[in-house]
Structures are given as C-alpha cells and as structure tokens.
Amino acid sequence: MIVFDLCCGGGHKFEAWFASTAAYEAQRKQGLLNCPCCGSAEVEKAVMAPNIAVRRETPPMTPASSEGEALLRALAEAQARLLEQSEWVGQGFAARARAMHLGEETPAIIHGQASLAEARELVEEGVPVAPLPFPVIPPDALN
C-alpha cells in the first residue's frame, strides 16, 4: 500500500492509501476520488513536504486493548462473511442498487464502488445502502 498526500480544489489536504500508483491514477481518471471535507472531485496529489523530526517528550504508546482488538476482528469477520455472500458489481453498483430499489431487477445482495456523489444520490432517493467499514479490493485486483 502507498499513502499519497492529496488536495482538492477547495484547498483541503488529506491522505489516501492505494495499492499502487496505477491504482491511484485509475481511480482519479474514473472520478472516484472525492475530498472527505467538501466532496469536491477536483482531487490531485499535493506537494509533499519532508517530515522533520521534532524531539518531544511524549508518553510511550500503549498497545490497543484486547477488547478493541476483539471488536475489530469481529467486524472484519462479519464483513468477510457479507462479502462471501454478495456479488461484486464494481462500477455498476449505483445503477444496480437503484434498479433493484425501483423493482426493475430482482433484489440481491451486492457490493461495489460508487463515488461520493453517487452514494449521496442513492441515499437521497431512499435506496438502502451502507458503506463497508474496511476497504474492499476488487476481485480481479487480488494476487
């Protein structure tokens, strides 16, 4: 995974993780990148500043609680079961979800990709959708 510093046309800066530079470029070209602050689709790589070490007196980091780890593990297992029982529809997610909601297609459990604008439109139309808690890699991208 590669982390990129990104910025939007509104001047917001944020980080995003990608499997590769090619994955970043593909998602950018498809309009799948949106600013988490304002929703702008004008997203590009930000000029990266070097990290400068600053000596501070900070308390040592403590490991995550076993209760928190168990909760994350249970959430990941639930998502894995959900993905096994659903169909990957990729970029066609918004269209398929809308068609099922309107009764044009037989209801099914699906998962895929939607831009922030597409997700907002679905919610505004009353289409029942929910984001997955952890990122999902398309099946054809698995090695």
Side-chain angles (χ1 to χ4, degrees):
M1 296 299 264
I2 301 171
V3 65
F4 287 118
D5 287 331
L6 303 177
C7 64
C8 75
H12 300 111
K13 293 186 179 177
F14 53 98
E15 289 183 348
W17 291 80
F18 298 91
S20 64
T21 301
Y24 161 78
E25 288 298 333
Q27 290 183 33
R28 185 185 60 77
K29 287 177 184 174
Q30 294 173 359
L32 297 175
L33 303 180
N34 297 88
C35 174
C37 300
C38 66
S40 171
E42 290 182 43
V43 175
E44 56 187 49
K45 289 183 188 176
V47 177
M48 295 178 60
N51 287 332
I52 300 171
V54 176
R55 175 165 256 179
R56 298 182 220 175
E57 295 299 321
T58 57
M61 292 183 63
T62 58
S65 71
S66 59
E67 184 178 301
E69 289 174 3
L71 180 61
L72 284 176
R73 193 170 24 262
L75 193 57
E77 289 170 3
Q79 178 170 310
R81 283 192 307 275
L82 199 153
L83 294 176
E84 288 172 2
Q85 299 170 2
S86 65
E87 175 190 356
W88 170 258
V89 294
Q91 299 295 325
F93 178 80
R96 290 276 306 270
R98 186 175 286 112
M100 285 188 277
H101 179 70
L102 297 173
E104 297 167 357
E105 273 193 40
T106 304
I109 301 173
I110 61 171
H111 68 279
Q113 296 173 325
S115 69
L116 183 57
E118 290 173 319
R120 280 187 182 140
E121 287 174 8
L122 291 173
V123 170
E124 288 169 0
E125 293 170 22
V127 179
V129 295
L132 294 170
F134 299 109
V136 176
I137 297 172
D140 58 349
L142 298 176
N143 50 356

Short mmCIF file of all heavy atoms in Angstrom, two decimals, residues 84-116:
data_model
loop_
_atom_site.label_atom_id
_atom_site.label_comp_id
_atom_site.label_asym_id
_atom_site.label_seq_id
_atom_site.Cartn_x
_atom_site.Cartn_y
_atom_site.Cartn_z
N GLU A 84 -18.58 -12.68 1.11
CA GLU A 84 -18.69 -14.02 0.55
C GLU A 84 -20.11 -14.28 0.04
O GLU A 84 -20.30 -15.02 -0.92
CB GLU A 84 -18.34 -15.08 1.60
CG GLU A 84 -16.87 -15.14 1.93
CD GLU A 84 -16.59 -16.06 3.11
OE1 GLU A 84 -17.53 -16.69 3.65
OE2 GLU A 84 -15.41 -16.15 3.50
N GLN A 85 -21.10 -13.67 0.68
CA GLN A 85 -22.50 -13.92 0.34
C GLN A 85 -23.07 -12.88 -0.62
O GLN A 85 -24.26 -12.88 -0.90
CB GLN A 85 -23.33 -13.93 1.62
CG GLN A 85 -22.93 -15.02 2.58
CD GLN A 85 -23.60 -14.85 3.93
OE1 GLN A 85 -24.39 -13.95 4.14
NE2 GLN A 85 -23.27 -15.74 4.86
N SER A 86 -22.21 -11.97 -1.12
CA SER A 86 -22.72 -10.94 -2.02
C SER A 86 -21.96 -10.96 -3.34
O SER A 86 -20.92 -11.58 -3.47
CB SER A 86 -22.60 -9.55 -1.36
OG SER A 86 -21.25 -9.22 -1.15
N GLU A 87 -22.53 -10.28 -4.31
CA GLU A 87 -21.97 -10.26 -5.66
C GLU A 87 -21.21 -8.94 -5.88
O GLU A 87 -21.72 -7.86 -5.58
CB GLU A 87 -23.12 -10.36 -6.67
CG GLU A 87 -22.70 -10.21 -8.10
CD GLU A 87 -23.88 -10.08 -9.05
OE1 GLU A 87 -25.04 -10.19 -8.62
OE2 GLU A 87 -23.62 -9.86 -10.24
N TRP A 88 -20.00 -9.03 -6.41
CA TRP A 88 -19.21 -7.85 -6.76
C TRP A 88 -19.75 -7.29 -8.07
O TRP A 88 -19.81 -7.98 -9.08
CB TRP A 88 -17.73 -8.22 -6.90
CG TRP A 88 -16.90 -7.11 -7.48
CD1 TRP A 88 -16.46 -7.01 -8.76
CD2 TRP A 88 -16.43 -5.95 -6.81
NE1 TRP A 88 -15.73 -5.86 -8.92
CE2 TRP A 88 -15.70 -5.19 -7.74
CE3 TRP A 88 -16.55 -5.48 -5.51
CZ2 TRP A 88 -15.09 -3.98 -7.42
CZ3 TRP A 88 -15.94 -4.28 -5.19
CH2 TRP A 88 -15.22 -3.55 -6.14
N VAL A 89 -20.17 -6.02 -8.07
CA VAL A 89 -20.69 -5.40 -9.28
C VAL A 89 -19.83 -4.23 -9.74
O VAL A 89 -20.15 -3.57 -10.73
CB VAL A 89 -22.15 -4.94 -9.09
CG1 VAL A 89 -23.06 -6.14 -8.89
CG2 VAL A 89 -22.29 -3.94 -7.96
N GLY A 90 -18.73 -3.97 -9.05
CA GLY A 90 -17.78 -2.94 -9.46
C GLY A 90 -18.41 -1.57 -9.62
O GLY A 90 -19.21 -1.12 -8.80
N GLN A 91 -18.09 -0.91 -10.74
CA GLN A 91 -18.56 0.44 -11.00
C GLN A 91 -20.07 0.51 -11.22
O GLN A 91 -20.65 1.58 -11.17
CB GLN A 91 -17.86 1.02 -12.24
CG GLN A 91 -16.37 1.13 -12.12
CD GLN A 91 -15.96 2.14 -11.06
OE1 GLN A 91 -16.62 3.15 -10.86
NE2 GLN A 91 -14.88 1.85 -10.35
N GLY A 92 -20.69 -0.62 -11.47
CA GLY A 92 -22.13 -0.65 -11.72
C GLY A 92 -22.97 -0.64 -10.46
O GLY A 92 -24.19 -0.83 -10.52
N PHE A 93 -22.36 -0.41 -9.31
CA PHE A 93 -23.08 -0.50 -8.04
C PHE A 93 -24.28 0.43 -7.98
O PHE A 93 -25.39 0.00 -7.66
CB PHE A 93 -22.14 -0.22 -6.86
CG PHE A 93 -22.85 -0.25 -5.54
CD1 PHE A 93 -23.12 -1.45 -4.93
CD2 PHE A 93 -23.27 0.92 -4.93
CE1 PHE A 93 -23.80 -1.50 -3.72
CE2 PHE A 93 -23.95 0.89 -3.72
CZ PHE A 93 -24.21 -0.32 -3.11
N ALA A 94 -24.09 1.70 -8.27
CA ALA A 94 -25.19 2.67 -8.13
C ALA A 94 -26.35 2.31 -9.05
O ALA A 94 -27.52 2.33 -8.63
CB ALA A 94 -24.69 4.09 -8.42
N ALA A 95 -26.05 1.96 -10.29
CA ALA A 95 -27.12 1.61 -11.24
C ALA A 95 -27.87 0.37 -10.79
O ALA A 95 -29.11 0.32 -10.84
CB ALA A 95 -26.52 1.42 -12.63
N ARG A 96 -27.14 -0.66 -10.34
CA ARG A 96 -27.79 -1.90 -9.91
C ARG A 96 -28.63 -1.67 -8.65
O ARG A 96 -29.76 -2.16 -8.56
CB ARG A 96 -26.75 -3.00 -9.62
CG ARG A 96 -26.04 -3.56 -10.82
CD ARG A 96 -26.82 -4.67 -11.52
NE ARG A 96 -27.25 -5.77 -10.69
CZ ARG A 96 -26.54 -6.88 -10.46
NH1 ARG A 96 -25.35 -7.03 -10.99
NH2 ARG A 96 -27.02 -7.84 -9.70
N ALA A 97 -28.09 -0.92 -7.69
CA ALA A 97 -28.83 -0.66 -6.44
C ALA A 97 -30.12 0.11 -6.75
O ALA A 97 -31.19 -0.20 -6.22
CB ALA A 97 -27.96 0.12 -5.47
N ARG A 98 -30.03 1.09 -7.62
CA ARG A 98 -31.20 1.89 -8.00
C ARG A 98 -32.23 1.02 -8.71
O ARG A 98 -33.43 1.09 -8.43
CB ARG A 98 -30.76 3.05 -8.89
CG ARG A 98 -31.86 4.02 -9.23
CD ARG A 98 -31.34 5.22 -10.01
NE ARG A 98 -30.60 6.12 -9.12
CZ ARG A 98 -29.28 6.34 -9.20
NH1 ARG A 98 -28.56 5.73 -10.11
NH2 ARG A 98 -28.69 7.17 -8.37
N ALA A 99 -31.78 0.17 -9.64
CA ALA A 99 -32.69 -0.69 -10.39
C ALA A 99 -33.42 -1.66 -9.45
O ALA A 99 -34.62 -1.91 -9.61
CB ALA A 99 -31.93 -1.46 -11.47
N MET A 100 -32.71 -2.21 -8.48
CA MET A 100 -33.36 -3.10 -7.52
C MET A 100 -34.37 -2.34 -6.68
O MET A 100 -35.47 -2.83 -6.42
CB MET A 100 -32.31 -3.78 -6.63
CG MET A 100 -31.55 -4.87 -7.34
SD MET A 100 -30.48 -5.81 -6.23
CE MET A 100 -29.05 -4.77 -6.18
N HIS A 101 -34.01 -1.14 -6.27
CA HIS A 101 -34.91 -0.32 -5.45
C HIS A 101 -36.19 0.01 -6.21
O HIS A 101 -37.29 0.04 -5.64
CB HIS A 101 -34.19 0.97 -5.03
CG HIS A 101 -35.02 1.88 -4.20
ND1 HIS A 101 -35.38 1.59 -2.91
CD2 HIS A 101 -35.55 3.09 -4.48
CE1 HIS A 101 -36.11 2.57 -2.43
NE2 HIS A 101 -36.23 3.51 -3.36
N LEU A 102 -36.07 0.27 -7.50
CA LEU A 102 -37.23 0.62 -8.32
C LEU A 102 -38.02 -0.59 -8.81
O LEU A 102 -39.02 -0.46 -9.50
CB LEU A 102 -36.78 1.47 -9.52
CG LEU A 102 -36.15 2.82 -9.17
CD1 LEU A 102 -35.60 3.48 -10.42
CD2 LEU A 102 -37.16 3.71 -8.47
N GLY A 103 -37.54 -1.80 -8.48
CA GLY A 103 -38.23 -3.02 -8.89
C GLY A 103 -37.93 -3.46 -10.30
O GLY A 103 -38.60 -4.33 -10.84
N GLU A 104 -36.93 -2.86 -10.92
CA GLU A 104 -36.56 -3.21 -12.29
C GLU A 104 -35.67 -4.46 -12.35
O GLU A 104 -35.50 -5.04 -13.41
CB GLU A 104 -35.83 -2.03 -12.95
CG GLU A 104 -36.69 -0.80 -13.07
CD GLU A 104 -35.90 0.45 -13.43
OE1 GLU A 104 -34.65 0.38 -13.54
OE2 GLU A 104 -36.53 1.51 -13.60
N GLU A 105 -35.08 -4.82 -11.20
CA GLU A 105 -34.23 -6.01 -11.10
C GLU A 105 -34.62 -6.77 -9.85
O GLU A 105 -35.12 -6.19 -8.89
CB GLU A 105 -32.75 -5.61 -10.99
CG GLU A 105 -32.06 -5.41 -12.29
CD GLU A 105 -30.55 -5.34 -12.13
OE1 GLU A 105 -29.97 -6.11 -11.33
OE2 GLU A 105 -29.95 -4.51 -12.82
N THR A 106 -34.33 -8.05 -9.85
CA THR A 106 -34.58 -8.88 -8.67
C THR A 106 -33.63 -8.47 -7.56
O THR A 106 -32.43 -8.34 -7.80
CB THR A 106 -34.34 -10.37 -9.02
OG1 THR A 106 -35.17 -10.71 -10.14
CG2 THR A 106 -34.66 -11.26 -7.83
N PRO A 107 -34.14 -8.24 -6.36
CA PRO A 107 -33.26 -7.86 -5.25
C PRO A 107 -32.18 -8.91 -4.99
O PRO A 107 -32.43 -10.11 -5.09
CB PRO A 107 -34.21 -7.75 -4.06
CG PRO A 107 -35.55 -7.48 -4.68
CD PRO A 107 -35.54 -8.25 -5.97
N ALA A 108 -30.99 -8.43 -4.70
CA ALA A 108 -29.85 -9.31 -4.40
C ALA A 108 -28.91 -8.55 -3.48
O ALA A 108 -28.99 -7.33 -3.35
CB ALA A 108 -29.13 -9.68 -5.69
N ILE A 109 -28.02 -9.28 -2.84
CA ILE A 109 -27.01 -8.65 -2.01
C ILE A 109 -25.81 -8.37 -2.91
O ILE A 109 -25.24 -9.30 -3.49
CB ILE A 109 -26.60 -9.55 -0.82
CG1 ILE A 109 -27.83 -9.85 0.03
CG2 ILE A 109 -25.52 -8.88 0.01
CD1 ILE A 109 -27.56 -10.88 1.11
N ILE A 110 -25.44 -7.09 -3.04
CA ILE A 110 -24.34 -6.71 -3.92
C ILE A 110 -23.36 -5.81 -3.18
O ILE A 110 -23.70 -5.22 -2.16
CB ILE A 110 -24.85 -5.98 -5.19
CG1 ILE A 110 -25.58 -4.68 -4.83
CG2 ILE A 110 -25.73 -6.89 -6.03
CD1 ILE A 110 -25.93 -3.80 -6.02
N HIS A 111 -22.15 -5.72 -3.70
CA HIS A 111 -21.19 -4.73 -3.24
C HIS A 111 -20.37 -4.28 -4.44
O HIS A 111 -20.25 -4.99 -5.43
CB HIS A 111 -20.32 -5.25 -2.09
CG HIS A 111 -19.36 -6.33 -2.46
ND1 HIS A 111 -19.74 -7.66 -2.58
CD2 HIS A 111 -18.04 -6.30 -2.76
CE1 HIS A 111 -18.68 -8.39 -2.91
NE2 HIS A 111 -17.64 -7.58 -3.04
N GLY A 112 -19.88 -3.05 -4.38
CA GLY A 112 -19.11 -2.50 -5.49
C GLY A 112 -18.58 -1.13 -5.13
O GLY A 112 -18.38 -0.81 -3.96
N GLN A 113 -18.39 -0.31 -6.15
CA GLN A 113 -17.82 1.02 -5.94
C GLN A 113 -18.80 2.08 -6.40
O GLN A 113 -19.50 1.91 -7.39
CB GLN A 113 -16.52 1.16 -6.75
CG GLN A 113 -15.43 0.21 -6.29
CD GLN A 113 -14.22 0.26 -7.19
OE1 GLN A 113 -14.35 0.45 -8.39
NE2 GLN A 113 -13.05 0.08 -6.62
N ALA A 114 -18.82 3.18 -5.66
CA ALA A 114 -19.63 4.33 -6.02
C ALA A 114 -18.89 5.59 -5.58
O ALA A 114 -18.22 5.58 -4.55
CB ALA A 114 -21.00 4.27 -5.34
N SER A 115 -18.99 6.63 -6.38
CA SER A 115 -18.38 7.90 -5.98
C SER A 115 -19.19 8.49 -4.84
O SER A 115 -20.33 8.06 -4.57
CB SER A 115 -18.35 8.86 -7.16
OG SER A 115 -19.67 9.28 -7.48
N LEU A 116 -18.64 9.48 -4.20
CA LEU A 116 -19.35 10.14 -3.11
C LEU A 116 -20.65 10.74 -3.62
O LEU A 116 -21.69 10.63 -2.97
CB LEU A 116 -18.46 11.22 -2.48
CG LEU A 116 -19.02 11.97 -1.29
CD1 LEU A 116 -19.38 11.01 -0.17
CD2 LEU A 116 -18.02 13.00 -0.80
#
